[in-house]
Amino acid sequence: MRAAELIQHIQSIKTVRHFGKVKRVIGLMIESQGPESSIGEVCYIHVHSSSRKQTVQIKAEVVGFKDEMVVLMPFTHVQDIAPGSIVEASGAPLEIRVGEALIGRIVDPLGQPIDDSVLPAGMKQVPTEKEPPNPLSRPPINEVMEVGVKAIDGMLTVGKGQRIGIFAGSGVGKSTLLGMIARNTEADLNVIALIGERGREVREFIERDLGPEGVKKSIIIAATSDQPALMRIKGALTATAIAEYFRDKGLNVMLMMDSVTRVAMAQREIGLAVGEPPATKGYTPSVFGLLPKLLERTGTNENGSITAFYTVLVDGDDMNEPIADTVRGILDGHIVLDRSIANKGHYPAINVLKSVSRLMNHLADQPHLKAAEKMRELMSTYEQAEDLINIGAYKRGSSADIDQAIQYQPMIKQFLKQPTDVKVPLAESARLLVQLSEKGEG
């Protein structure tokens, strides 16, 4: 085995190296004459660092070509890059090191620990970009993934390998809900991507929302808002690649990405910089090409599963803005967090009537399904009559359905509420729901 590894190492040694020179830098983009390279390939720009007083290598990726020039985007800021800086092609796309040593760590989009610790030797190199699994190799989703949140397990049951969007405006409790799911889920491993977050929020999420219990079975990938657009996109791709690695090992992985909207915004930055026309509300065509490629990589394969929760920021709580609309069409369900519910002190602020799990009918048993349908009927009836009830225009006895909805509204609200530090098993959520619906029938 040792000899085989040695032969493989010798064969991987580059005997020819390709170089080019930086010609100009325009905004986020670097144009160089050469080297011979292809889209997605990593290049190294050799610059003299004025702060370190030495020559350093800046990683960049080939993102396009223009008038026989190679267009590069750096993984870090363009400081110290000057006309004439040497550009060296690596001959390969970005790869990260993956293994069990990552569990419990916080890494950057390049897979390096951000606490300056060192990863052990012997970890596997995997590319960050891969094709989604063949549709015919995906086993059907027929097992429930327990998340420990009553409103989700009871009313929006999720399966192992299902992909769900959490849609909400800013400050409605997305991160808190993700922390609850990460702590309570029965998944073997959490992979959590924090994309475009404020630097302050990363530590707060880890210490307050996730907690020591959640960190022990999680890998966190952090790409803060101050990092270049390419790093934010790589954060999403790296998190997905790590989840894929553990799925191929036979694990049931929980992938959480907060937020896919910021990934789309980063792709828009790159698209506009390379000259793409803005298509829909300023988003370039490449954004709508990236989203399905990224989101379809999760789900089931013949070895294991990746159950994914993607948060989507909706500007002004507009559920029909382009990114929200596109993501909703790709995923297997959506959970809507409602600001008006949050303003009443109700957490998690899930609007059950606007949310749906497309696989619940195949996953939940008949008593559970029947109970959930009954609760939706009662909630819908109350919502339609709510204005009349609030202004006192509804007279008790006018409608048996509305009378029943009014009677059970406090109990339904109580069922949907849950403190952030409480875990409710799926069986208990289903039992409470069935018990509540039987009262409603009575």
Side-chain angles (χ1 to χ4, degrees), residues 39-55:
I39 294 286
E41 187 173 331
V42 173
C43 294
Y44 299 100
I45 304 171
H46 300 265
V47 301
H48 181 76
S49 173
S50 54
S51 57
R52 298 187 195 176
K53 307 294 184 186
Q54 62 182 12
T55 300

Side-chain angles (χ1 to χ4, degrees), residues 299-419:
T300 58
N301 73 359
E302 59 273 17
N303 300 312
S305 69
I306 302 173
T307 307
F309 283 86
Y310 298 97
T311 68
V312 182
L313 282 166
V314 285
D315 293 335
D317 298 325
D318 176 15
M319 288 294 296
N320 295 315
E321 62 95 27
I323 299 305
D325 202 42
T326 302
V327 171
R328 191 167 59 243
I330 298 168
L331 299 179
D332 307 316
H334 52 273
I335 295 169
V336 177
L337 301 187
D338 196 316
R339 192 178 302 278
S340 64
I341 295 175
N343 289 343
K344 294 172 185 174
H346 181 120
Y347 288 100
I350 297 172
N351 187 323
V352 173
L353 294 178
K354 290 183 179 178
S355 306
V356 67
S357 169
R358 293 179 182 169
L359 296 177
M360 182 173 177
N361 288 344
H362 305 290
L363 297 168
D365 58 31
Q366 279 307 309
H368 182 175
L369 271 178
K370 189 178 175 185
E373 286 170 8
K374 181 67 178 177
M375 290 305 102
R376 280 181 177 272
E377 282 177 24
L378 290 167
M379 292 170 74
S380 179
T381 301
Y382 185 86
E383 187 180 75
Q384 289 169 14
E386 189 170 14
D387 290 342
L388 291 174
I389 296 165
N390 288 341
I391 63 172
Y394 174 74
K395 291 184 179 179
R396 190 172 181 83
S398 303
S399 166
D401 289 341
I402 296 176
D403 287 347
Q404 189 182 52
I406 293 170
Q407 182 183 353
Y408 287 95
Q409 184 66 11
M411 287 186 280
I412 293 171
K413 278 187 176 180
Q414 192 58 42
F415 171 79
L416 295 175
K417 277 185 179 181
Q418 186 172 333

